[in-house]
Amino acid sequence: MPKDWKSLNQKYFMNTTKRQPLTIVKGKDVYAWDDAGKKYLDFVGGWAVSSLGHASPVMQRALQKQASELIIASNQYYTIPQIQLAETLVKMTGLSKVFFTNSGAESNEGAFKLARKYGKEKLGGAYEIISTLNSFHGRTLATVAASGQEAYQKPFRPLPVGFINVPYDDIAAIKKATNKKTCAIIVELIQGEGGVHVPSAGYAKQLRDWCDKNNILLILDEIQTGFGRLGKMFGYEQFGIRPDIITFAKGMGGGFPIGAFLCNEKADVFAPGDHGTTYGGSPLACAVSIAVVQEITGKKLDANAASVGKHLTAGLERLRKKYKFIKEVRGMGLLLAMEFTSDISWAIVTEANKAGILLNPVKPNAVRMMPPLILTKEQADEGVALLDKALAAYSKNLKD
Ligand SMILES: Cc1ncc(COP(=O)(O)O)c(C=O)c1O
């Protein structure tokens, strides 16, 4: 008999997360198992993290090798995996410099500090950062201030000053909010946690042009969209622009906590003492990330995300035509969402759990899918069949 983990969690863990009633104990490739031995096709992937799938042998080898040599030495010293990963990322992005972190929020915090320093040095003290409504940039105070979501901000006001939230996919709103105090704009090119929203054609280029015209920095938050998720190694390649600063985490470690922010020459304004970290860029984290990045490039998992994502979208579209309560299927690569005509995402996810597929109820009226980049077309078909089963069960419950 499995233990009552739910009650123990309630007793000991802070009440921050509305969890699904499943205790996941094991994973292999695109599948996960709960403590009762039930198998699930995992379309959550640790929230767009498990790029190589669960229990990846590539990651295991890198972890074991590096753990037996050197786990940490502190950033007081040069360490080889850190320099190698820095070189890899700089060459891949064409940006100039990198700083390693442990999470997405930390990457954005670092980017904000860099943008503020740029504002101080190059724009006469400008410090405001424009971000978009419905965005998600993390859970620290500054990243909450940047995330334009009332529910996340309200309990914590007053928030750090200098963050202006304007409507997404609205260049006129960005222009209106820009003033002498503006040092940067931060956007997710596709809003992930906000419900997988793809902007209209031209938005990204307009943002780039506006930043250039005003000499302000364009920060792209690619924490969710980077490292193959959208069908290209980096999301910005899908939009034909380049950032001044880019932030990463999630998929770059495949499940091992590591993040980064990179900047171009123009934004390279940090001086010794401006920023630092104990764990960020540890040999262990960097060795794993190198292995993950090499596997994504070597196996062309970004291209796989593009083609399997297209195949999966076609399957989801068939379901949309079959079930009237599905309003829209949207996304890019293997970052997809299905929006419903009403707030039924929890009920759908409950049925999906029963059917054997894990989904993320990203909004009350939408579910998000972000499976490992190794997903095959056959496994995508399996997902569509399981989802069909869940949707049919939901429809049947409605009628009964
Ligand atoms: C676009 C984006 N930015 C930032 C974050 C925050 O990352 P973390 O939870 O690692 O701090 C997330 C997490 O979902 C994200 O999707």
Side-chain angles (χ1 to χ4, degrees), residues 103-106 108 136-139 188 193 221 223-224 249-250:
S103 68
E106 269 181 79
N108 284 335
F136 188 78
H137 299 294
R139 299 291 202 158
E188 298 160 88
E193 198 269 353
D221 178 340
I223 285 157
Q224 187 156 155
K250 292 189 183 273

Side-chain angles (χ1 to χ4, degrees), residues 18-204:
K18 198 175 164 202
R19 297 187 202 266
Q20 293 289 314
L22 302 182
T23 303
I24 303 296
V25 294
K26 195 174 83 170
K28 183 73 195 132
D29 301 329
V30 296
Y31 298 98
W33 283 262
D34 69 14
D35 59 342
K38 186 173 158 75
K39 183 182 179 186
Y40 302 88
L41 181 60
D42 185 1
F43 273 17
V44 174
W47 289 336
V49 168
S50 302
S51 22
L52 306 187
H54 294 290
S56 152
V58 170
M59 287 180 65
Q60 287 185 48
R61 274 195 298 275
L63 272 164
Q64 270 163 7
K65 181 168 180 294
Q66 189 58 46
S68 66
E69 283 168 14
L70 182 70
I71 292 177
I72 194 152
S74 95
N75 281 312
Q76 187 177 321
Y77 305 103
Y78 302 107
T79 50
I80 296 165
Q82 185 179 101
I83 298 164
Q84 289 172 331
L85 182 59
E87 183 181 19
T88 304
L89 296 186
V90 163
K91 286 187 171 159
M92 284 173 88
T93 57
L95 293 168
S96 298
K97 296 280 169 60
V98 65
F99 186 94
F100 292 117
T101 69
N102 310 285
S103 68
E106 269 181 79
S107 300
N108 284 335
E109 283 274 350
F112 297 156
K113 282 179 70 178
L114 192 58
R116 281 202 175 187
K117 178 110 195 267
Y118 172 87
K120 203 174 260 308
E121 287 196 349
K122 311 260 175 88
L123 298 173
Y127 63 93
E128 280 184 1
I129 296 174
I130 302 173
S131 64
T132 64
L133 290 167
N134 198 42
S135 62
F136 188 78
H137 299 294
R139 299 291 202 158
T140 60
L141 282 174
T143 55
V144 162
S147 300
Q149 300 198 45
E150 179 62 14
Y152 298 155
Q153 293 187 348
K154 197 174 168 193
F156 305 107
R157 294 209 172 98
L159 292 167
V161 296
F163 292 91
I164 317 293
N165 310 145
V166 304
Y168 179 64
D169 196 15
D170 182 345
I171 192 70
I174 293 270
K175 289 183 178 176
K176 198 162 160 231
T178 308
N179 62 62
K180 282 207 297 286
K181 287 181 281 178
T182 310
C183 65
I185 297 170
I186 181 166
V187 288
E188 298 160 88
L189 282 173
I190 291 186
Q191 288 188 331
E193 198 269 353
V196 188
H197 294 285
V198 184
S200 35
Y203 180 59

Side-chain angles (χ1 to χ4, degrees), residues 87-390:
E87 183 181 19
T88 304
L89 296 186
V90 163
K91 286 187 171 159
M92 284 173 88
T93 57
L95 293 168
S96 298
K97 296 280 169 60
V98 65
F99 186 94
F100 292 117
T101 69
N102 310 285
S103 68
E106 269 181 79
S107 300
N108 284 335
E109 283 274 350
F112 297 156
K113 282 179 70 178
L114 192 58
R116 281 202 175 187
K117 178 110 195 267
Y118 172 87
K120 203 174 260 308
E121 287 196 349
K122 311 260 175 88
L123 298 173
Y127 63 93
E128 280 184 1
I129 296 174
I130 302 173
S131 64
T132 64
L133 290 167
N134 198 42
S135 62
F136 188 78
H137 299 294
R139 299 291 202 158
T140 60
L141 282 174
T143 55
V144 162
S147 300
Q149 300 198 45
E150 179 62 14
Y152 298 155
Q153 293 187 348
K154 197 174 168 193
F156 305 107
R157 294 209 172 98
L159 292 167
V161 296
F163 292 91
I164 317 293
N165 310 145
V166 304
Y168 179 64
D169 196 15
D170 182 345
I171 192 70
I174 293 270
K175 289 183 178 176
K176 198 162 160 231
T178 308
N179 62 62
K180 282 207 297 286
K181 287 181 281 178
T182 310
C183 65
I185 297 170
I186 181 166
V187 288
E188 298 160 88
L189 282 173
I190 291 186
Q191 288 188 331
E193 198 269 353
V196 188
H197 294 285
V198 184
S200 35
Y203 180 59
K205 282 217 168 86
Q206 287 166 335
L207 282 173
R208 180 66 275 174
D209 290 347
W210 184 248
C211 287
D212 288 343
K213 189 169 171 209
N214 291 281
N215 206 21
I216 57 181
L217 301 177
L218 180 59
I219 307 171
L220 294 183
D221 178 340
E222 290 237 27
I223 285 157
Q224 187 156 155
T225 54
F227 295 92
R229 176 76 29 204
L230 297 188
K232 295 267 187 198
M233 195 62 188
F234 304 113
Y236 63 76
E237 297 172 69
Q238 293 284 24
F239 294 87
I241 60 160
R242 296 169 57 73
D244 298 304
I245 301 177
I246 195 160
T247 60
F248 294 132
K250 292 189 183 273
M252 87 176 266
F256 196 90
I258 180 167
F261 60 100
L262 285 92
C263 67
N264 60 14
E265 231 167 89
K266 176 176 163 180
D268 182 19
V269 291
F270 274 164
D274 278 344
H275 203 49
T277 169
T278 296
Y279 291 119
S282 75
L284 188 61
C286 291
V288 179
S289 182
I290 289 169
V292 170
V293 173
Q294 278 174 353
E295 184 72 358
I296 296 174
T297 8
K299 296 260 169 72
K300 297 192 169 51
L301 294 180
D302 49 350
N304 187 64
S307 68
V308 177
K310 234 179 223 162
H311 186 79
L312 179 56
T313 304
L316 299 176
E317 278 294 343
R318 284 196 299 279
L319 297 180
R320 185 181 63 77
K321 287 184 187 126
K322 183 168 171 188
Y323 297 98
K324 295 275 169 296
F325 54 84
I326 304 175
K327 190 173 161 194
E328 191 187 22
V329 171
R330 57 177 179 251
M332 193 180 277
L334 283 174
L335 178 59
L336 301 169
M338 188 178 252
E339 187 175 316
F340 305 109
T341 50
S342 59
D343 291 352
I344 59 169
S345 70
W346 271 79
I348 299 290
V349 170
T350 302
E351 291 303 336
N353 290 343
K354 284 189 215 157
I357 179 167
L358 303 180
L359 304 172
N360 169 240
V362 66
K363 290 282 154 186
N365 67 345
V367 291
R368 178 173 47 159
M369 295 163 230
M370 43 208 152
L373 306 181
I374 56 168
L375 192 79
T376 63
K377 286 187 179 161
E378 292 70 31
Q379 289 161 340
D381 290 341
E382 185 189 348
V384 172
L386 292 171
L387 198 46
D388 193 5
K389 198 170 154 195

